[in-house]
Amino acid sequence: MSDALRRLEILMGDTLQILDHMKVNSVHNDILRTIKHSIKEQNNKVEALSKHTGEQRIQSAVSMTKQLHAINTKVQQLETQLMEEYKQATGNQIESYEQMAFEEQVEQKETYHNKIDYLSATKIQENINRMNEVLYSIISSS
Amino acid sequence: MAFVITSPCMQEKAADCVDVCPVDCIAKGEDQYYIDPDICIDCGACEAVCPVAAIYYEEDVPEVEEKFIQKAIDFFKNN
């Protein structure tokens, strides 16, 4: 397997690890489950991509970028909702909350969870963008 | 961007950071602990609890400690 494909697998595995640690409110369970399932699906396609060459490889990579964009749209929706919850939990005072000492932040258990889930969603978007960059490099070098 | 563990950890290896990381992105190496930059969500919990101030946000790593940014990348590439 090439370095690019190995990198893609690592990014997907790391993203799944972040998703596994998220403890969102039950209203977000469906979207979280869908995102997780979709990332797993893409992860399963990496092995197949490693066996493709030429035009077939380009088509597979293009298809994966399209699906990753669709997943990222869902992650953005989730991030917006989580940001709103975090904002509400702090009484619209996110900056003041984040200026508190770590121990004080943790004491406000629910708010702290909101913060971690929001930051997790942000990181997942970042990782999906990185996955797409890897796929673009595969497309341009095929 | 991520947080980075630098040289003071090499003498200490206290591991307080491991206990507070909400995404389990800190791994034990032979000579120090490492933060996986692909998993770190930038919450800063590790930085807050490190007893030897070894942890910096990537952009704030002092020049003399910058080699630890690449060291962490290499650690996770090879492990």
Side-chain angles (χ1 to χ4, degrees):
Chain A
M1 193 180 277
S2 71
D3 283 352
L5 290 173
R6 207 164 295 126
R7 175 77 182 129
L8 202 54
E9 268 193 342
I10 288 170
L11 279 169
M12 289 185 181
D14 289 344
T15 302
L16 285 168
Q17 179 169 330
I18 298 168
L19 283 160
D20 283 340
H21 281 84
M22 290 176 78
K23 293 171 185 148
V24 293
N25 292 336
S26 54
V27 286
H28 307 302
N29 275 345
D30 284 348
I31 191 165
L32 190 67
R33 209 175 300 125
T34 305
I35 292 165
K36 216 183 280 187
H37 176 73
S38 304
I39 295 284
K40 277 182 188 164
E41 263 182 356
Q42 297 311 306
N43 198 18
N44 293 338
K45 288 179 183 168
V46 177
E47 181 68 30
L49 186 62
S50 72
K51 290 172 184 144
H52 294 165
T53 54
E55 190 56 31
Q56 194 185 18
R57 191 182 179 102
I58 292 171
Q59 291 309 319
S60 301
V62 168
S63 160
M64 283 178 77
T65 61
K66 284 182 185 162
Q67 286 163 66
L68 284 170
H69 280 301
I71 298 169
N72 225 1
T73 303
K74 287 197 174 71
V75 179
Q76 276 165 19
Q77 284 169 13
L78 179 64
E79 187 207 30
T80 305
Q81 292 163 5
L82 293 173
M83 170 60 149
E84 196 48 46
E85 282 174 15
Y86 179 31
K87 213 161 120 183
Q88 279 174 19
T90 62
N92 287 326
Q93 303 286 325
I94 288 181
E95 269 185 35
S96 308
Y97 176 75
E98 292 192 349
Q99 278 165 7
M100 287 161 65
F102 169 68
E103 293 78 9
E104 287 174 284
Q105 288 188 35
V106 174
E107 268 172 30
Q108 295 184 32
K109 217 173 171 182
E110 206 184 319
T111 309
Y112 187 69
H113 274 306
N114 287 330
K115 173 186 169 177
I116 297 304
D117 285 336
Y118 163 66
L119 290 175
S120 297
T122 303
K123 183 69 177 194
I124 291 164
Q125 279 189 72
E126 209 179 283
N127 279 356
I128 291 175
N129 290 335
R130 285 186 182 141
M131 290 172 206
N132 274 326
E133 280 168 24
V134 175
L135 285 164
Y136 293 139
S137 77
I138 291 169
I139 293 164
S140 62
S141 65
S142 293
Chain B
M1 286 292 175
F3 279 82
V4 179
I5 301 179
T6 62
S7 64
C9 181
M10 298 174 81
Q11 288 82 44
E12 190 71 24
K13 289 179 87 178
D16 296 24
C17 53
V18 178
D19 297 334
V20 297
C21 178
V23 287
D24 282 336
C25 76
I26 304 177
K28 190 180 184 180
E30 228 172 77
D31 56 346
Q32 66 164 105
Y33 282 88
Y34 295 93
I35 295 172
D36 189 333
D38 289 334
I39 304 175
C40 174
I41 59 167
D42 297 338
C43 70
C46 54
E47 182 193 30
V49 300
C50 178
V52 290
I55 304 178
Y56 295 89
Y57 187 57
E58 195 175 325
E59 276 186 347
D60 303 326
V61 174
E63 214 177 317
V64 289
E65 302 281 351
E66 276 176 359
K67 65 179 177 189
F68 286 89
I69 299 172
Q70 190 58 43
K71 198 180 171 195
I73 293 168
D74 293 341
F75 175 81
F76 288 101
K77 208 172 173 182
N78 301 318
N79 288 284

